[in-house]
Amino acid sequence: MKKSVLLTLLEANDPLARALGQEISRMGADCQAHFWEDAPEKQAFAPVIAELCKPACGVWVIAGNASSFARTSIRIGLALTALAARHAHAREGRNLPVVLSLSGQGEIRPPAPLADAEPVDSGLGAKVTARLYAPGSVQAFPYRCTVHALPGLGLWLETGPADEPWQGALTGVRGVNARPDAHGVGQAGMIPSRCTLRHPVQGLRLTHSGAEYTAWGVQNDLSPAQSYFTRLAGLPEALVFGPYPSDDEAELYTLNLC
C-alpha cells in the first residue's frame, strides 16, 4: 500500500499549498491538500477525520501561521481531529506522525492530542518522507478515547477501558457553555440507539487537578469491548473521564484541548 500525506493549511493560501504540496511530492509521496474550516461547533472537521483515518494516510502535516494555530477554536478542532485519528490508527497497530510547519511569531505549544507533533522550520519534504516510512511504535494508554463528529447529530466522546474493566464511567468537560447533554453505553465504536443506564448522574460539578468540570456518569460496568458515549454541547477546552468515582480517590484522566 502506497502511503499518502494529508496537508492541512490553517489559512486559505493557494501559493503556499502548491509550494508545500510540490515539496512533499518531489520526495515521492502522494500529497492531498485542503484548507482548514474553522467551525468546530458544526463538526466541520469531520471530513478531515475521515481522510486521516484511512489506512493509506501515513503523515498529517499542519501548516500556516503560528497566530492561527494559537486561536482557541482552531486548536480545539485540531485536537479533536487528532484524537479520532490517533485512535483509529492505534486500533490497527499503526502510528500517525504529525508534522507542524508554522511561520510567524507565536508560541507553538500543541494541545495534548498533538503533544507528539514535530515542528519543522525547513526541509519539510525530507522530514515528511522520513516520518512516512520510518517504523513507529504505537503509544499505549490505559484507556480508549475518541470522538465521533456527526454533522446534525452533534459531537460525541467515546471512552472506555483499554484492558482492565471499568466499574462505571464518567465524562466531564470544561469550557464556556460546554457540557454533556446526552449519554449512552454500548459496543465500542458504535453509538447506541438504545441502552439501559444504571444510576445515571447528570450535571455533576467535579473539581479535578484544580479545574472545575461539568460531568455526567453511569454505573454500568464496562469491558474493553464496551464504551461510554457522551454528546458534548459547546466547545470543550478540556476533558476528564474514567471509571465512575467510588468512595476512594477516583482514577480519572484529563486531556487539555486548547
Side-chain angles (χ1 to χ4, degrees):
M1 179 190 302
K2 187 175 182 179
K3 293 291 186 178
S4 63
V5 176
L6 182 66
L7 172 60
T8 295
L9 291 108
L10 301 182
E11 307 89 23
N13 188 330
D14 287 318
L16 180 62
R18 284 194 297 270
L20 295 182
Q22 289 171 0
E23 183 178 353
I24 294 171
S25 297
R26 278 197 300 268
M27 303 300 293
D30 289 338
C31 180
Q32 179 181 353
H34 75 101
F35 299 132
W36 181 261
E37 183 179 355
D38 183 21
E41 70 283 353
K42 299 178 182 178
Q43 290 82 56
F45 50 87
V48 187
I49 292 177
E51 288 298 322
L52 288 173
C53 290
K54 292 180 178 178
C57 187
V59 176
W60 184 20
V61 178
I62 302 171
N65 294 322
S67 58
S68 295
F69 189 74
R71 194 179 306 160
T72 297
S73 58
I74 289 181
R75 292 171 67 81
I76 292 175
L78 292 173
L80 293 171
T81 300
L83 200 60
R86 182 179 72 184
H87 173 80
H89 283 266
R91 187 178 55 205
E92 302 299 328
R94 299 188 301 266
N95 183 39
L96 180 66
V98 181
V99 174
L100 293 177
S101 178
L102 303 177
S103 60
Q105 300 296 317
E107 180 186 5
I108 304 176
R109 182 185 55 83
L114 288 167
D116 293 335
E118 183 175 359
V120 174
D121 295 325
S122 61
L124 177 64
K127 177 62 68 174
V128 168
T129 302
R131 297 296 298 270
L132 195 61
Y133 297 106
S137 60
V138 178
Q139 187 175 2
F141 295 94
Y143 58 80
R144 291 176 290 102
C145 182
T146 187
V147 296
H148 301 272
L150 306 174
L153 298 177
L155 175 68
W156 291 79
L157 182 72
E158 176 186 352
T159 61
D163 298 305
E164 298 296 326
W166 286 1
Q167 294 182 340
L170 176 142
T171 293
V173 297
R174 175 170 58 82
V176 178
N177 298 322
R179 67 190 189 284
D181 65 2
H183 59 175
V185 171
Q187 179 182 345
M190 185 180 304
I191 299 172
S193 58
R194 294 182 180 180
C195 62
T196 300
L197 300 179
R198 291 186 54 205
H199 307 293
V201 175
Q202 302 178 7
L204 179 66
R205 295 293 180 178
L206 173 69
T207 300
H208 188 73
S209 300
E212 186 174 276
Y213 297 81
T214 301
W216 284 25
V218 294
Q219 294 188 27
N220 299 59
D221 291 339
L222 298 184
S223 73
Q226 297 171 304
S227 295
Y228 178 48
F229 298 86
T230 316
R231 191 173 66 188
L232 307 181
L235 290 183
E237 297 178 3
L239 306 171
V240 61
F241 56 91
Y244 194 87
S246 63
D247 293 335
D248 300 323
E249 185 176 349
E251 184 181 8
L252 297 174
Y253 310 101
T254 58
L255 284 176
N256 290 318
L257 302 180
C258 67

